[in-house]
Amino acid sequence: MESGLDAIPNFERKIPSQETLESICAMILDLDPNIRFAGVINNKGRLLTGHTKKGIRAFTTQKDQEMLLMETALGVRMRKEHNSHLGPVIFTVSYGSKIISMNFPLDDEILCVSAEKKINLMTVPFLILKFLAANLDKKDVL
């Protein structure tokens, strides 16, 4: 599935450029003041790029974050097994006691967003989807 990005070849598929990913993450941070982090991981959970809002205190160590991102990627890959029955997952939300995590599958990459618990879950994930549709030509996510 083509994404319509300024893409570079990577064997048989195309991936967004590093500059495109960095720009997207930086702009997502500005979508809502309660967004703490926006990053893109590959399908193995490796962080390709990520931005944390200035002044935000991390709740995890670097090693814990790496494990969480690997778990996220595994969960997204496992959910794809049910796409033929349930349809593809557009995004997932995890509501934790300290933060909210939202994950948006993007072909072989995953956009990971964390936010303060006071974020509006009825609007912000859909605002992110509209942003992705406008900036990644992902019209099929809405």
Side-chain angles (χ1 to χ4, degrees):
M1 176 169 30
E2 289 291 321
S3 63
L5 296 168
D6 297 339
I8 55 175
N10 183 21
F11 302 104
E12 287 87 34
R13 67 181 188 91
K14 296 186 179 212
I15 60 171
S17 70
Q18 185 71 20
E19 294 80 21
T20 299
L21 295 176
E22 288 176 12
S23 175
I24 286 168
C25 291
M27 288 187 277
I28 286 175
L29 279 182
D30 292 333
L31 290 178
D32 187 279
N34 293 302
I35 294 176
R36 299 171 51 91
F37 170 83
V40 177
I41 61 174
N42 67 14
N43 64 1
K44 303 283 190 224
R46 183 176 159 266
L47 185 65
L48 302 175
T49 188
H51 292 276
T52 302
K53 198 164 272 183
K54 287 185 170 84
I56 295 295
R57 182 178 65 86
F59 290 119
T60 61
T61 65
Q62 172 99 14
K63 186 162 181 66
D64 287 338
Q65 183 185 27
E66 289 171 5
M67 289 298 295
L68 286 167
L69 294 176
M70 284 190 284
E71 290 172 16
T72 297
L74 178 60
V76 168
R77 286 196 322 263
M78 291 177 70
R79 278 188 293 282
K80 284 184 180 182
E81 297 294 319
H82 304 287
N83 283 0
S84 63
H85 305 291
L86 304 173
V89 171
I90 306 303
F91 68 89
T92 60
V93 175
S94 296
Y95 189 87
S97 64
K98 292 184 179 181
I99 64 164
I100 292 173
S101 298
M102 298 172 276
N103 299 304
F104 302 81
L106 308 170
D107 297 326
D108 287 334
E109 290 77 32
I110 303 158
L111 170 66
C112 301
V113 178
S114 67
E116 302 293 337
K117 288 183 61 175
K118 59 187 172 183
I119 200 162
N120 186 333
L121 285 175
M122 297 306 292
T123 59
V124 174
F126 299 98
L127 182 63
I128 292 170
L129 286 176
K130 285 182 182 178
F131 173 83
L132 293 173
N135 291 280
L136 294 179
D137 195 28
K138 298 283 292 172
K139 307 287 188 255
D140 58 329
V141 299
L142 297 175

